């Protein structure tokens, strides 16, 4: 299930605006997006490599080992501070309401 969900998420969102390959400028088709998403999902689901499902994978590993293009939010100071402020506000809200977790959606907050 995790492979299917990640494949769907990568194809629909992460690769949404991916139109050309970086190396030879080939047009990117839906099939190419799905194949790339499937290979990333399979790699991330490899328990022999990662040894744990509950452990985070840092941005450097995701860039260098997995080959994902990821923006470093710390390079955009204003965006980083806005996201950090939101996170701290949400963390305080969850703590003050004795919640275990919280999901922010378009319909609810």
């Amino acid at each position: 299930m995790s492979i299917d969900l990640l494949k769907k998420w990568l194809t629909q969102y992460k690769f949404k605006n991916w139109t050309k390959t970086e190396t030879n400028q080939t047009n990117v088709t839906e099939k190419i997006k799905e194949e790339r998403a499937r290979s990333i999902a399979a790699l991330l689901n490899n328990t022999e490599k990662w040894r744990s499902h509950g452990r985070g994978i840092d941005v450097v590993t995701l860039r260098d080992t997995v080959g994902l293009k990821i923006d470093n939010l710390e390079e955009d100071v204003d965006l980083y501070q806005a996201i950090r402020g939101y996170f701290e506000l949400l963390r305080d809200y969850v703590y003050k309401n004795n919640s275990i977790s919280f999901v922010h959606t378009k319909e609810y907050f």
Side-chain angles (χ1 to χ4, degrees):
M1 181 175 169
S2 61
I3 290 176
D4 290 340
L5 290 173
L6 185 55
K7 188 179 106 177
K8 180 179 179 182
W9 184 88
L10 286 170
T11 303
Q12 286 184 343
Y13 302 104
K14 178 69 176 154
F15 300 155
K16 181 172 109 176
N17 298 320
W18 183 28
T19 58
K20 300 268 186 195
T21 61
E22 190 171 286
T23 53
N24 57 10
Q25 297 299 304
T26 303
N27 288 334
V28 175
T29 64
E30 286 302 310
K31 183 178 179 181
I32 290 172
K33 290 179 185 182
E34 288 175 8
E35 288 173 1
R36 180 71 178 121
R38 187 179 303 114
S39 70
I40 290 169
L43 176 61
L44 292 174
N45 200 47
N46 181 342
T47 54
E48 289 183 22
K49 180 168 187 60
W50 307 107
R51 308 257 187 226
S52 172
H53 182 73
R55 180 174 64 98
I57 301 173
D58 64 89
V59 68
V60 173
T61 302
L62 289 171
R63 284 181 182 161
D64 297 347
T65 303
V66 179
L68 280 170
K69 295 231 173 252
I70 300 173
D71 296 332
N72 184 350
L73 293 179
E74 293 176 356
E75 292 172 1
D76 184 336
V77 176
D78 292 335
L79 180 59
Y80 178 76
Q81 288 177 342
I83 291 171
R84 191 73 196 162
Y86 170 78
F87 170 76
E88 290 171 3
L89 179 67
L90 186 58
R91 183 186 58 200
D92 289 346
Y93 176 85
V94 168
Y95 176 75
K96 288 176 183 173
N97 288 286
N98 292 321
S99 299
I100 295 172
S101 64
F102 183 85
V103 176
H104 183 165
T105 69
K106 290 179 183 179
E107 292 82 28
Y108 178 75
F109 184 128

